[in-house]
Every structure is written in C-alpha cells, then in structure tokens.
Amino acid sequence: MRRLIYLAVGFALGGYAVHRLNRSARSWGPNGLAQRVEGRVADYRSGIRELGEDVADVMAERESDLRRRYGG
C-alpha cells in the first residue's frame, strides 16, 4: 500500500514538473518572448503618455501663473 502511495505521489510530482518545464519552454520561445516584449512596450508607452500629460499640465499651470503675474 505504501509503495502505491509513493508511486502516485511520484507521478503527480513528475507530471507537475513536466507541466512547469513545458510552460517555461513556451515562455522562452519566440512567441513567448514576443508577447513579453509587446507587454513591456505597452507599459512603457502608457508611462510615457502619462508623463507627457503631467508635463503638459505643469506647463499650463506655470503659464497661467506667469500670465497672471505679468498680465499677459
């Protein structure tokens, strides 16, 4: 009975290890790398867009301060 339990646990661990190795191999393949790069580029693009919006807001605020101060 004990051997049967160890055999079942061994099969389960072996199946899990094979699953993880296959998933890792897919993520390091061309499609997996392309998806990761695409995700990173999208993140950077949204970050740059937010930075541009923040800079535009600060510039508008500063411009309104200068117009108010110097009556322009």
Side-chain angles (χ1 to χ4, degrees):
M1 187 67 179
R2 271 177 104 158
R3 289 182 185 176
L4 185 60
I5 291 173
Y6 285 129
L7 183 65
V9 169
F11 277 134
L13 288 176
Y16 179 72
V18 167
H19 168 72
R20 294 290 293 188
L21 286 172
N22 283 336
R23 200 165 94 181
S24 178
R26 279 193 310 267
S27 73
W28 284 102
N31 289 337
L33 289 175
Q35 287 176 351
R36 278 193 291 191
V37 167
E38 185 177 317
R40 293 275 172 103
V41 168
D43 290 343
Y44 291 143
R45 190 177 292 163
S46 67
I48 289 172
R49 186 177 308 122
E50 288 178 17
L51 176 65
E53 291 171 357
D54 291 344
V55 168
D57 290 343
V58 170
M59 284 175 42
E61 183 180 323
R62 179 70 176 148
E63 183 178 355
S64 68
D65 287 344
L66 290 173
R67 287 185 188 274
R68 190 174 42 243
R69 180 179 293 172
Y70 297 112

